[in-house]
Amino acid sequence: MIYAVASDKPDRYTSLLPTFSRIASQMDAALVLSAAETGGERHFRFVTTPDCSLSVKHVVLSPTGDDTFANTTSELKALGYTDAGRKYHVWMDANVYCGIGQVWPDDRPGLTNANASSVSIARSDNGCWGYSEIHELFHGLGAVQLSAPNSAGQYHCDDEYEVMCYVDSSGTPMRKVCDASHENLLDCNHDDYFNTAPEPNSYLATHWNTADSPFLSSGHIDAPVATPTPDPTPTPQPQEVAELVTSGKTSKAGTVRT
């Protein structure tokens, strides 16, 4: 997790650390509840400090580093944020996007999938802190592949209610499949991108399942986890998934979401 701010903007890193810890805890709680729906357990493998607190890197970008996602990713890579054993999420102290992230278009099952073995970067701007983070991180983990049963066509889904579904640039209308109480949880009916125990021969048993991601834990972590080995087979470039800009965001079920 990274806090980033342009050098010409106020730097609020220290004062915001408690907020970021609270958001990360809420994200993990949503993941735990989502996994429990399929009889399993999952946690985010957040990088932590020696005292087990959330580690949030402090990054100061150039005055234009927050202007576009391309600028942000370019500067982060130049600073060394290129480890294939990491998924990077940026809390950007700016108000340009709601959220934007990268997803690898790869629906192959198993740990050779590019989403399991390649770096990706996600960004949430301050107008959407508190609800865009899990959405953008799950793009980085590989949701929602275009071959998914309820794909909306732009790496989202159309079977509401859940974290990864909303009317995006594709214009695909939403279908109310799950109850509104599922709005902040993952994968309505667990048939598109997240299921800890998919039925044999089902889509998630034969395609990429984010519940199998090495960036998630199936329980408490007592030892370091080996860095994923990148797939030697050439893979496509990650796709950028731009969410609603904060100047034109829309609401759904009383909330605003990427």
Side-chain angles (χ1 to χ4, degrees), residues 1-2 45-47 83-90 102-104 113-122 136-142 208 213-216 228 238:
M1 308 298 280
I2 297 168
R45 293 187 185 276
F46 290 122
V47 176
D83 188 345
R86 292 282 184 264
K87 298 292 183 181
Y88 299 108
H89 176 271
V90 180
Q102 296 173 325
V103 56
W104 289 84
N113 186 288
N115 292 287
S117 59
S118 303
V119 66
S120 66
I121 297 174
E136 302 306 338
L137 266 179
F138 261 83
H139 277 317
L141 297 179
W208 175 237
S213 174
F215 297 97
L216 303 180

PDB file of all heavy atoms in Angstrom, residues 1-2 45-47 83-90 102-104 113-122 136-142 208 213-216 228 238:
ATOM      1  N   MET A   1       0.850  -1.183   0.000  1.00  0.00           N
ATOM      2  CA  MET A   1       0.000   0.000   0.000  1.00  0.00           C
ATOM      3  C   MET A   1       0.886   1.233   0.000  1.00  0.00           C
ATOM      4  O   MET A   1       1.913   1.277   0.685  1.00  0.00           O
ATOM      5  CB  MET A   1      -0.936  -0.009   1.206  1.00  0.00           C
ATOM      6  CG  MET A   1      -1.738  -1.297   1.362  1.00  0.00           C
ATOM      7  SD  MET A   1      -2.855  -1.663  -0.016  1.00  0.00           S
ATOM      8  CE  MET A   1      -4.238  -0.591   0.354  1.00  0.00           C
ATOM      9  N   ILE A   2       0.484   2.241  -0.767  1.00  0.00           N
ATOM     10  CA  ILE A   2       1.308   3.430  -0.975  1.00  0.00           C
ATOM     11  C   ILE A   2       0.441   4.681  -0.783  1.00  0.00           C
ATOM     12  O   ILE A   2      -0.695   4.735  -1.264  1.00  0.00           O
ATOM     13  CB  ILE A   2       1.882   3.452  -2.405  1.00  0.00           C
ATOM     14  CG1 ILE A   2       2.817   2.252  -2.643  1.00  0.00           C
ATOM     15  CG2 ILE A   2       2.613   4.762  -2.695  1.00  0.00           C
ATOM     16  CD1 ILE A   2       3.181   2.059  -4.106  1.00  0.00           C
ATOM     17  N   ARG A  45      -2.822 -10.256   1.795  1.00  0.00           N
ATOM     18  CA  ARG A  45      -1.449 -10.341   2.295  1.00  0.00           C
ATOM     19  C   ARG A  45      -0.835  -8.926   2.280  1.00  0.00           C
ATOM     20  O   ARG A  45       0.087  -8.645   1.519  1.00  0.00           O
ATOM     21  CB  ARG A  45      -0.610 -11.279   1.420  1.00  0.00           C
ATOM     22  CG  ARG A  45      -1.028 -12.734   1.482  1.00  0.00           C
ATOM     23  CD  ARG A  45      -0.031 -13.589   0.707  1.00  0.00           C
ATOM     24  NE  ARG A  45      -0.430 -14.971   0.630  1.00  0.00           N
ATOM     25  CZ  ARG A  45      -0.189 -15.885   1.570  1.00  0.00           C
ATOM     26  NH1 ARG A  45       0.457 -15.530   2.663  1.00  0.00           N
ATOM     27  NH2 ARG A  45      -0.594 -17.128   1.422  1.00  0.00           N
ATOM     28  N   PHE A  46      -1.347  -8.063   3.115  1.00  0.00           N
ATOM     29  CA  PHE A  46      -0.786  -6.723   3.206  1.00  0.00           C
ATOM     30  C   PHE A  46       0.647  -6.794   3.734  1.00  0.00           C
ATOM     31  O   PHE A  46       0.957  -7.590   4.622  1.00  0.00           O
ATOM     32  CB  PHE A  46      -1.607  -5.857   4.161  1.00  0.00           C
ATOM     33  CG  PHE A  46      -2.975  -5.489   3.662  1.00  0.00           C
ATOM     34  CD1 PHE A  46      -4.106  -5.829   4.380  1.00  0.00           C
ATOM     35  CD2 PHE A  46      -3.134  -4.781   2.484  1.00  0.00           C
ATOM     36  CE1 PHE A  46      -5.375  -5.480   3.943  1.00  0.00           C
ATOM     37  CE2 PHE A  46      -4.396  -4.425   2.027  1.00  0.00           C
ATOM     38  CZ  PHE A  46      -5.523  -4.772   2.756  1.00  0.00           C
ATOM     39  N   VAL A  47       1.514  -5.957   3.193  1.00  0.00           N
ATOM     40  CA  VAL A  47       2.845  -5.817   3.768  1.00  0.00           C
ATOM     41  C   VAL A  47       2.688  -5.073   5.092  1.00  0.00           C
ATOM     42  O   VAL A  47       1.964  -4.083   5.181  1.00  0.00           O
ATOM     43  CB  VAL A  47       3.777  -5.042   2.824  1.00  0.00           C
ATOM     44  CG1 VAL A  47       5.143  -4.816   3.477  1.00  0.00           C
ATOM     45  CG2 VAL A  47       3.955  -5.815   1.516  1.00  0.00           C
ATOM     46  N   ASP A  83       8.129  -4.950  -8.640  1.00  0.00           N
ATOM     47  CA  ASP A  83       8.283  -6.323  -8.154  1.00  0.00           C
ATOM     48  C   ASP A  83       7.081  -7.177  -8.551  1.00  0.00           C
ATOM     49  O   ASP A  83       5.944  -6.864  -8.194  1.00  0.00           O
ATOM     50  CB  ASP A  83       8.435  -6.289  -6.634  1.00  0.00           C
ATOM     51  CG  ASP A  83       8.798  -7.635  -6.031  1.00  0.00           C
ATOM     52  OD1 ASP A  83       8.673  -8.667  -6.726  1.00  0.00           O
ATOM     53  OD2 ASP A  83       9.200  -7.647  -4.848  1.00  0.00           O
ATOM     54  N   ALA A  84       7.331  -8.266  -9.284  1.00  0.00           N
ATOM     55  CA  ALA A  84       6.245  -9.169  -9.685  1.00  0.00           C
ATOM     56  C   ALA A  84       5.613  -9.865  -8.485  1.00  0.00           C
ATOM     57  O   ALA A  84       4.541 -10.456  -8.603  1.00  0.00           O
ATOM     58  CB  ALA A  84       6.755 -10.206 -10.682  1.00  0.00           C
ATOM     59  N   GLY A  85       6.267  -9.806  -7.338  1.00  0.00           N
ATOM     60  CA  GLY A  85       5.703 -10.382  -6.123  1.00  0.00           C
ATOM     61  C   GLY A  85       4.862  -9.398  -5.341  1.00  0.00           C
ATOM     62  O   GLY A  85       4.563  -9.630  -4.176  1.00  0.00           O
ATOM     63  N   ARG A  86       4.474  -8.298  -5.975  1.00  0.00           N
ATOM     64  CA  ARG A  86       3.663  -7.275  -5.324  1.00  0.00           C
ATOM     65  C   ARG A  86       2.518  -6.834  -6.228  1.00  0.00           C
ATOM     66  O   ARG A  86       2.651  -6.778  -7.441  1.00  0.00           O
ATOM     67  CB  ARG A  86       4.508  -6.034  -4.995  1.00  0.00           C
ATOM     68  CG  ARG A  86       5.561  -6.265  -3.923  1.00  0.00           C
ATOM     69  CD  ARG A  86       4.948  -6.267  -2.538  1.00  0.00           C
ATOM     70  NE  ARG A  86       5.961  -6.396  -1.506  1.00  0.00           N
ATOM     71  CZ  ARG A  86       6.308  -7.559  -0.946  1.00  0.00           C
ATOM     72  NH1 ARG A  86       5.718  -8.679  -1.330  1.00  0.00           N
ATOM     73  NH2 ARG A  86       7.231  -7.599  -0.004  1.00  0.00           N
ATOM     74  N   LYS A  87       1.401  -6.517  -5.601  1.00  0.00           N
ATOM     75  CA  LYS A  87       0.334  -5.739  -6.217  1.00  0.00           C
ATOM     76  C   LYS A  87       0.334  -4.398  -5.498  1.00  0.00           C
ATOM     77  O   LYS A  87       0.228  -4.352  -4.272  1.00  0.00           O
ATOM     78  CB  LYS A  87      -1.028  -6.430  -6.061  1.00  0.00           C
ATOM     79  CG  LYS A  87      -1.132  -7.791  -6.732  1.00  0.00           C
ATOM     80  CD  LYS A  87      -1.089  -7.689  -8.243  1.00  0.00           C
ATOM     81  CE  LYS A  87      -1.276  -9.051  -8.905  1.00  0.00           C
ATOM     82  NZ  LYS A  87      -1.208  -8.970 -10.374  1.00  0.00           N
ATOM     83  N   TYR A  88       0.490  -3.320  -6.241  1.00  0.00           N
ATOM     84  CA  TYR A  88       0.616  -2.002  -5.632  1.00  0.00           C
ATOM     85  C   TYR A  88      -0.714  -1.255  -5.672  1.00  0.00           C
ATOM     86  O   TYR A  88      -1.318  -1.106  -6.731  1.00  0.00           O
ATOM     87  CB  TYR A  88       1.674  -1.182  -6.369  1.00  0.00           C
ATOM     88  CG  TYR A  88       3.059  -1.792  -6.328  1.00  0.00           C
ATOM     89  CD1 TYR A  88       3.604  -2.377  -7.475  1.00  0.00           C
ATOM     90  CD2 TYR A  88       3.813  -1.788  -5.159  1.00  0.00           C
ATOM     91  CE1 TYR A  88       4.880  -2.936  -7.449  1.00  0.00           C
ATOM     92  CE2 TYR A  88       5.085  -2.345  -5.121  1.00  0.00           C
ATOM     93  CZ  TYR A  88       5.615  -2.915  -6.272  1.00  0.00           C
ATOM     94  OH  TYR A  88       6.868  -3.477  -6.248  1.00  0.00           O
ATOM     95  N   HIS A  89      -1.157  -0.810  -4.506  1.00  0.00           N
ATOM     96  CA  HIS A  89      -2.322   0.068  -4.455  1.00  0.00           C
ATOM     97  C   HIS A  89      -1.885   1.436  -3.942  1.00  0.00           C
ATOM     98  O   HIS A  89      -1.217   1.543  -2.905  1.00  0.00           O
ATOM     99  CB  HIS A  89      -3.420  -0.465  -3.546  1.00  0.00           C
ATOM    100  CG  HIS A  89      -4.568   0.497  -3.446  1.00  0.00           C
ATOM    101  ND1 HIS A  89      -4.603   1.496  -2.495  1.00  0.00           N
ATOM    102  CD2 HIS A  89      -5.661   0.667  -4.216  1.00  0.00           C
ATOM    103  CE1 HIS A  89      -5.683   2.230  -2.681  1.00  0.00           C
ATOM    104  NE2 HIS A  89      -6.345   1.758  -3.715  1.00  0.00           N
ATOM    105  N   VAL A  90      -2.287   2.488  -4.655  1.00  0.00           N
ATOM    106  CA  VAL A  90      -1.881   3.846  -4.336  1.00  0.00           C
ATOM    107  C   VAL A  90      -3.077   4.641  -3.818  1.00  0.00           C
ATOM    108  O   VAL A  90      -4.092   4.763  -4.512  1.00  0.00           O
ATOM    109  CB  VAL A  90      -1.303   4.562  -5.579  1.00  0.00           C
ATOM    110  CG1 VAL A  90      -0.882   5.987  -5.217  1.00  0.00           C
ATOM    111  CG2 VAL A  90      -0.141   3.774  -6.157  1.00  0.00           C
ATOM    112  N   GLN A 102      -5.090  -1.645 -13.146  1.00  0.00           N
ATOM    113  CA  GLN A 102      -4.669  -2.520 -14.229  1.00  0.00           C
ATOM    114  C   GLN A 102      -5.160  -3.948 -13.970  1.00  0.00           C
ATOM    115  O   GLN A 102      -5.169  -4.419 -12.837  1.00  0.00           O
ATOM    116  CB  GLN A 102      -3.142  -2.533 -14.336  1.00  0.00           C
ATOM    117  CG  GLN A 102      -2.546  -1.194 -14.710  1.00  0.00           C
ATOM    118  CD  GLN A 102      -1.032  -1.191 -14.646  1.00  0.00           C
ATOM    119  OE1 GLN A 102      -0.439  -1.842 -13.803  1.00  0.00           O
ATOM    120  NE2 GLN A 102      -0.403  -0.451 -15.544  1.00  0.00           N
ATOM    121  N   VAL A 103      -5.580  -4.617 -15.032  1.00  0.00           N
ATOM    122  CA  VAL A 103      -5.968  -6.020 -14.968  1.00  0.00           C
ATOM    123  C   VAL A 103      -5.353  -6.731 -16.163  1.00  0.00           C
ATOM    124  O   VAL A 103      -5.332  -6.196 -17.278  1.00  0.00           O
ATOM    125  CB  VAL A 103      -7.504  -6.187 -14.947  1.00  0.00           C
ATOM    126  CG1 VAL A 103      -8.157  -5.523 -16.149  1.00  0.00           C
ATOM    127  CG2 VAL A 103      -7.898  -7.664 -14.866  1.00  0.00           C
ATOM    128  N   TRP A 104      -4.817  -7.915 -15.950  1.00  0.00           N
ATOM    129  CA  TRP A 104      -4.259  -8.698 -17.046  1.00  0.00           C
ATOM    130  C   TRP A 104      -5.368  -9.505 -17.705  1.00  0.00           C
ATOM    131  O   TRP A 104      -6.101 -10.243 -17.028  1.00  0.00           O
ATOM    132  CB  TRP A 104      -3.173  -9.635 -16.527  1.00  0.00           C
ATOM    133  CG  TRP A 104      -1.924  -8.918 -16.109  1.00  0.00           C
ATOM    134  CD1 TRP A 104      -1.682  -8.327 -14.905  1.00  0.00           C
ATOM    135  CD2 TRP A 104      -0.756  -8.712 -16.909  1.00  0.00           C
ATOM    136  NE1 TRP A 104      -0.434  -7.758 -14.894  1.00  0.00           N
ATOM    137  CE2 TRP A 104       0.160  -7.972 -16.110  1.00  0.00           C
ATOM    138  CE3 TRP A 104      -0.389  -9.067 -18.201  1.00  0.00           C
ATOM    139  CZ2 TRP A 104       1.414  -7.596 -16.576  1.00  0.00           C
ATOM    140  CZ3 TRP A 104       0.860  -8.681 -18.665  1.00  0.00           C
ATOM    141  CH2 TRP A 104       1.747  -7.961 -17.861  1.00  0.00           C
ATOM    142  N   ASN A 113      -1.100 -17.934 -14.396  1.00  0.00           N
ATOM    143  CA  ASN A 113      -1.905 -16.817 -14.874  1.00  0.00           C
ATOM    144  C   ASN A 113      -1.162 -15.508 -14.615  1.00  0.00           C
ATOM    145  O   ASN A 113      -0.565 -15.322 -13.545  1.00  0.00           O
ATOM    146  CB  ASN A 113      -3.255 -16.809 -14.155  1.00  0.00           C
ATOM    147  CG  ASN A 113      -4.211 -15.772 -14.707  1.00  0.00           C
ATOM    148  OD1 ASN A 113      -4.039 -14.579 -14.514  1.00  0.00           O
ATOM    149  ND2 ASN A 113      -5.242 -16.246 -15.399  1.00  0.00           N
ATOM    150  N   ALA A 114      -1.206 -14.590 -15.565  1.00  0.00           N
ATOM    151  CA  ALA A 114      -0.484 -13.330 -15.435  1.00  0.00           C
ATOM    152  C   ALA A 114      -0.932 -12.528 -14.221  1.00  0.00           C
ATOM    153  O   ALA A 114      -0.141 -11.792 -13.620  1.00  0.00           O
ATOM    154  CB  ALA A 114      -0.656 -12.499 -16.704  1.00  0.00           C
ATOM    155  N   ASN A 115      -2.191 -12.656 -13.839  1.00  0.00           N
ATOM    156  CA  ASN A 115      -2.672 -11.930 -12.667  1.00  0.00           C
ATOM    157  C   ASN A 115      -2.100 -12.470 -11.369  1.00  0.00           C
ATOM    158  O   ASN A 115      -2.141 -11.787 -10.343  1.00  0.00           O
ATOM    159  CB  ASN A 115      -4.199 -11.984 -12.618  1.00  0.00           C
ATOM    160  CG  ASN A 115      -4.838 -11.198 -13.743  1.00  0.00           C
ATOM    161  OD1 ASN A 115      -4.834  -9.977 -13.722  1.00  0.00           O
ATOM    162  ND2 ASN A 115      -5.369 -11.898 -14.748  1.00  0.00           N
ATOM    163  N   ALA A 116      -1.556 -13.682 -11.412  1.00  0.00           N
ATOM    164  CA  ALA A 116      -0.942 -14.286 -10.235  1.00  0.00           C
ATOM    165  C   ALA A 116       0.557 -14.101 -10.199  1.00  0.00           C
ATOM    166  O   ALA A 116       1.182 -14.347  -9.163  1.00  0.00           O
ATOM    167  CB  ALA A 116      -1.267 -15.781 -10.188  1.00  0.00           C
ATOM    168  N   SER A 117       1.139 -13.678 -11.319  1.00  0.00           N
ATOM    169  CA  SER A 117       2.600 -13.697 -11.402  1.00  0.00           C
ATOM    170  C   SER A 117       3.192 -12.427 -11.993  1.00  0.00           C
ATOM    171  O   SER A 117       4.378 -12.397 -12.303  1.00  0.00           O
ATOM    172  CB  SER A 117       3.040 -14.890 -12.259  1.00  0.00           C
ATOM    173  OG  SER A 117       2.488 -14.824 -13.567  1.00  0.00           O
ATOM    174  N   SER A 118       2.392 -11.382 -12.129  1.00  0.00           N
ATOM    175  CA  SER A 118       2.871 -10.147 -12.742  1.00  0.00           C
ATOM    176  C   SER A 118       2.447  -8.944 -11.921  1.00  0.00           C
ATOM    177  O   SER A 118       1.412  -8.955 -11.249  1.00  0.00           O
ATOM    178  CB  SER A 118       2.326 -10.004 -14.171  1.00  0.00           C
ATOM    179  OG  SER A 118       2.688 -11.112 -14.964  1.00  0.00           O
ATOM    180  N   VAL A 119       3.253  -7.891 -12.014  1.00  0.00           N
ATOM    181  CA  VAL A 119       2.971  -6.680 -11.263  1.00  0.00           C
ATOM    182  C   VAL A 119       1.755  -5.954 -11.833  1.00  0.00           C
ATOM    183  O   VAL A 119       1.475  -6.041 -13.043  1.00  0.00           O
ATOM    184  CB  VAL A 119       4.206  -5.750 -11.289  1.00  0.00           C
ATOM    185  CG1 VAL A 119       4.481  -5.244 -12.697  1.00  0.00           C
ATOM    186  CG2 VAL A 119       4.036  -4.579 -10.330  1.00  0.00           C
ATOM    187  N   SER A 120       1.018  -5.283 -10.981  1.00  0.00           N
ATOM    188  CA  SER A 120      -0.035  -4.368 -11.426  1.00  0.00           C
ATOM    189  C   SER A 120      -0.129  -3.232 -10.419  1.00  0.00           C
ATOM    190  O   SER A 120       0.284  -3.363  -9.263  1.00  0.00           O
ATOM    191  CB  SER A 120      -1.388  -5.081 -11.569  1.00  0.00           C
ATOM    192  OG  SER A 120      -1.861  -5.508 -10.311  1.00  0.00           O
ATOM    193  N   ILE A 121      -0.670  -2.121 -10.876  1.00  0.00           N
ATOM    194  CA  ILE A 121      -0.791  -0.925 -10.057  1.00  0.00           C
ATOM    195  C   ILE A 121      -2.244  -0.458 -10.082  1.00  0.00           C
ATOM    196  O   ILE A 121      -2.888  -0.474 -11.132  1.00  0.00           O
ATOM    197  CB  ILE A 121       0.131   0.197 -10.566  1.00  0.00           C
ATOM    198  CG1 ILE A 121       1.601  -0.238 -10.464  1.00  0.00           C
ATOM    199  CG2 ILE A 121      -0.090   1.493  -9.786  1.00  0.00           C
ATOM    200  CD1 ILE A 121       2.583   0.740 -11.084  1.00  0.00           C
ATOM    201  N   ALA A 122      -2.755  -0.062  -8.931  1.00  0.00           N
ATOM    202  CA  ALA A 122      -4.097   0.499  -8.819  1.00  0.00           C
ATOM    203  C   ALA A 122      -4.001   1.833  -8.096  1.00  0.00           C
ATOM    204  O   ALA A 122      -3.092   2.058  -7.284  1.00  0.00           O
ATOM    205  CB  ALA A 122      -5.013  -0.448  -8.062  1.00  0.00           C
ATOM    206  N   GLU A 136     -10.481  -1.729  -6.940  1.00  0.00           N
ATOM    207  CA  GLU A 136      -9.281  -1.591  -7.765  1.00  0.00           C
ATOM    208  C   GLU A 136      -8.279  -2.717  -7.513  1.00  0.00           C
ATOM    209  O   GLU A 136      -7.635  -3.209  -8.447  1.00  0.00           O
ATOM    210  CB  GLU A 136      -8.629  -0.230  -7.530  1.00  0.00           C
ATOM    211  CG  GLU A 136      -9.513   0.966  -7.817  1.00  0.00           C
ATOM    212  CD  GLU A 136     -10.118   0.963  -9.209  1.00  0.00           C
ATOM    213  OE1 GLU A 136      -9.567   0.293 -10.119  1.00  0.00           O
ATOM    214  OE2 GLU A 136     -11.147   1.622  -9.407  1.00  0.00           O
ATOM    215  N   LEU A 137      -8.137  -3.137  -6.261  1.00  0.00           N
ATOM    216  CA  LEU A 137      -7.216  -4.236  -5.975  1.00  0.00           C
ATOM    217  C   LEU A 137      -7.678  -5.532  -6.641  1.00  0.00           C
ATOM    218  O   LEU A 137      -6.858  -6.321  -7.112  1.00  0.00           O
ATOM    219  CB  LEU A 137      -7.078  -4.442  -4.468  1.00  0.00           C
ATOM    220  CG  LEU A 137      -5.906  -3.721  -3.800  1.00  0.00           C
ATOM    221  CD1 LEU A 137      -5.900  -3.999  -2.301  1.00  0.00           C
ATOM    222  CD2 LEU A 137      -4.576  -4.141  -4.412  1.00  0.00           C
ATOM    223  N   PHE A 138      -8.981  -5.746  -6.689  1.00  0.00           N
ATOM    224  CA  PHE A 138      -9.457  -6.979  -7.332  1.00  0.00           C
ATOM    225  C   PHE A 138      -9.321  -6.924  -8.847  1.00  0.00           C
ATOM    226  O   PHE A 138      -9.216  -7.963  -9.489  1.00  0.00           O
ATOM    227  CB  PHE A 138     -10.872  -7.344  -6.877  1.00  0.00           C
ATOM    228  CG  PHE A 138     -10.828  -8.400  -5.810  1.00  0.00           C
ATOM    229  CD1 PHE A 138     -10.608  -8.056  -4.490  1.00  0.00           C
ATOM    230  CD2 PHE A 138     -10.916  -9.752  -6.128  1.00  0.00           C
ATOM    231  CE1 PHE A 138     -10.509  -9.020  -3.503  1.00  0.00           C
ATOM    232  CE2 PHE A 138     -10.824 -10.733  -5.159  1.00  0.00           C
ATOM    233  CZ  PHE A 138     -10.615 -10.369  -3.837  1.00  0.00           C
ATOM    234  N   HIS A 139      -9.284  -5.749  -9.440  1.00  0.00           N
ATOM    235  CA  HIS A 139      -8.855  -5.684 -10.839  1.00  0.00           C
ATOM    236  C   HIS A 139      -7.430  -6.222 -10.938  1.00  0.00           C
ATOM    237  O   HIS A 139      -7.111  -7.038 -11.818  1.00  0.00           O
ATOM    238  CB  HIS A 139      -8.890  -4.241 -11.353  1.00  0.00           C
ATOM    239  CG  HIS A 139     -10.231  -3.780 -11.813  1.00  0.00           C
ATOM    240  ND1 HIS A 139     -11.075  -4.554 -12.589  1.00  0.00           N
ATOM    241  CD2 HIS A 139     -10.883  -2.585 -11.633  1.00  0.00           C
ATOM    242  CE1 HIS A 139     -12.175  -3.883 -12.853  1.00  0.00           C
ATOM    243  NE2 HIS A 139     -12.088  -2.681 -12.279  1.00  0.00           N
ATOM    244  N   GLY A 140      -6.561  -5.781 -10.034  1.00  0.00           N
ATOM    245  CA  GLY A 140      -5.182  -6.243 -10.058  1.00  0.00           C
ATOM    246  C   GLY A 140      -5.033  -7.735  -9.825  1.00  0.00           C
ATOM    247  O   GLY A 140      -4.083  -8.357 -10.310  1.00  0.00           O
ATOM    248  N   LEU A 141      -5.986  -8.315  -9.100  1.00  0.00           N
ATOM    249  CA  LEU A 141      -5.967  -9.759  -8.871  1.00  0.00           C
ATOM    250  C   LEU A 141      -6.590 -10.544 -10.026  1.00  0.00           C
ATOM    251  O   LEU A 141      -6.512 -11.769 -10.049  1.00  0.00           O
ATOM    252  CB  LEU A 141      -6.699 -10.097  -7.573  1.00  0.00           C
ATOM    253  CG  LEU A 141      -6.086  -9.534  -6.282  1.00  0.00           C
ATOM    254  CD1 LEU A 141      -6.928  -9.942  -5.083  1.00  0.00           C
ATOM    255  CD2 LEU A 141      -4.650  -9.994  -6.111  1.00  0.00           C
ATOM    256  N   GLY A 142      -7.228  -9.814 -10.979  1.00  0.00           N
ATOM    257  CA  GLY A 142      -7.726 -10.493 -12.170  1.00  0.00           C
ATOM    258  C   GLY A 142      -9.210 -10.444 -12.402  1.00  0.00           C
ATOM    259  O   GLY A 142      -9.730 -11.150 -13.276  1.00  0.00           O
ATOM    260  N   TRP A 208      -9.566 -18.667 -14.471  1.00  0.00           N
ATOM    261  CA  TRP A 208      -8.900 -17.960 -13.385  1.00  0.00           C
ATOM    262  C   TRP A 208      -9.888 -17.622 -12.273  1.00  0.00           C
ATOM    263  O   TRP A 208     -10.957 -17.069 -12.501  1.00  0.00           O
ATOM    264  CB  TRP A 208      -8.243 -16.681 -13.890  1.00  0.00           C
ATOM    265  CG  TRP A 208      -7.648 -15.856 -12.790  1.00  0.00           C
ATOM    266  CD1 TRP A 208      -7.935 -14.558 -12.492  1.00  0.00           C
ATOM    267  CD2 TRP A 208      -6.659 -16.273 -11.834  1.00  0.00           C
ATOM    268  NE1 TRP A 208      -7.195 -14.142 -11.416  1.00  0.00           N
ATOM    269  CE2 TRP A 208      -6.406 -15.182 -10.989  1.00  0.00           C
ATOM    270  CE3 TRP A 208      -5.979 -17.467 -11.614  1.00  0.00           C
ATOM    271  CZ2 TRP A 208      -5.490 -15.236  -9.935  1.00  0.00           C
ATOM    272  CZ3 TRP A 208      -5.063 -17.535 -10.569  1.00  0.00           C
ATOM    273  CH2 TRP A 208      -4.833 -16.419  -9.746  1.00  0.00           C
ATOM    274  N   SER A 213      -5.453 -16.733  -5.770  1.00  0.00           N
ATOM    275  CA  SER A 213      -4.331 -15.816  -5.934  1.00  0.00           C
ATOM    276  C   SER A 213      -3.306 -15.970  -4.812  1.00  0.00           C
ATOM    277  O   SER A 213      -3.675 -16.050  -3.625  1.00  0.00           O
ATOM    278  CB  SER A 213      -4.827 -14.368  -5.953  1.00  0.00           C
ATOM    279  OG  SER A 213      -3.736 -13.465  -5.966  1.00  0.00           O
ATOM    280  N   PRO A 214      -2.020 -15.990  -5.143  1.00  0.00           N
ATOM    281  CA  PRO A 214      -0.995 -16.042  -4.099  1.00  0.00           C
ATOM    282  C   PRO A 214      -0.903 -14.751  -3.297  1.00  0.00           C
ATOM    283  O   PRO A 214      -0.209 -14.705  -2.278  1.00  0.00           O
ATOM    284  CB  PRO A 214       0.294 -16.290  -4.892  1.00  0.00           C
ATOM    285  CG  PRO A 214       0.026 -15.709  -6.239  1.00  0.00           C
ATOM    286  CD  PRO A 214      -1.433 -15.969  -6.494  1.00  0.00           C
ATOM    287  N   PHE A 215      -1.618 -13.717  -3.731  1.00  0.00           N
ATOM    288  CA  PHE A 215      -1.631 -12.459  -2.983  1.00  0.00           C
ATOM    289  C   PHE A 215      -2.704 -12.453  -1.903  1.00  0.00           C
ATOM    290  O   PHE A 215      -2.866 -11.462  -1.193  1.00  0.00           O
ATOM    291  CB  PHE A 215      -1.828 -11.290  -3.943  1.00  0.00           C
ATOM    292  CG  PHE A 215      -0.704 -11.164  -4.930  1.00  0.00           C
ATOM    293  CD1 PHE A 215      -0.822 -11.694  -6.210  1.00  0.00           C
ATOM    294  CD2 PHE A 215       0.489 -10.555  -4.584  1.00  0.00           C
ATOM    295  CE1 PHE A 215       0.226 -11.601  -7.121  1.00  0.00           C
ATOM    296  CE2 PHE A 215       1.540 -10.461  -5.487  1.00  0.00           C
ATOM    297  CZ  PHE A 215       1.409 -10.989  -6.761  1.00  0.00           C
ATOM    298  N   LEU A 216      -3.425 -13.560  -1.778  1.00  0.00           N
ATOM    299  CA  LEU A 216      -4.393 -13.746  -0.704  1.00  0.00           C
ATOM    300  C   LEU A 216      -3.947 -14.910   0.162  1.00  0.00           C
ATOM    301  O   LEU A 216      -3.293 -15.842  -0.314  1.00  0.00           O
ATOM    302  CB  LEU A 216      -5.789 -14.034  -1.265  1.00  0.00           C
ATOM    303  CG  LEU A 216      -6.391 -13.006  -2.214  1.00  0.00           C
ATOM    304  CD1 LEU A 216      -7.775 -13.465  -2.676  1.00  0.00           C
ATOM    305  CD2 LEU A 216      -6.478 -11.635  -1.548  1.00  0.00           C
ATOM    306  N   PRO A 228       5.854 -15.192  -6.369  1.00  0.00           N
ATOM    307  CA  PRO A 228       5.366 -15.966  -7.519  1.00  0.00           C
ATOM    308  C   PRO A 228       6.382 -15.954  -8.656  1.00  0.00           C
ATOM    309  O   PRO A 228       7.083 -14.975  -8.875  1.00  0.00           O
ATOM    310  CB  PRO A 228       4.086 -15.230  -7.924  1.00  0.00           C
ATOM    311  CG  PRO A 228       3.698 -14.450  -6.719  1.00  0.00           C
ATOM    312  CD  PRO A 228       4.960 -14.115  -6.002  1.00  0.00           C
ATOM    313  N   PRO A 238      -1.099  -5.516 -19.463  1.00  0.00           N
ATOM    314  CA  PRO A 238      -2.282  -5.312 -18.622  1.00  0.00           C
ATOM    315  C   PRO A 238      -3.154  -4.213 -19.190  1.00  0.00           C
ATOM    316  O   PRO A 238      -2.670  -3.256 -19.792  1.00  0.00           O
ATOM    317  CB  PRO A 238      -1.670  -4.901 -17.271  1.00  0.00           C
ATOM    318  CG  PRO A 238      -0.336  -4.339 -17.606  1.00  0.00           C
ATOM    319  CD  PRO A 238       0.146  -5.117 -18.794  1.00  0.00           C
TER     320      PRO A 238
END
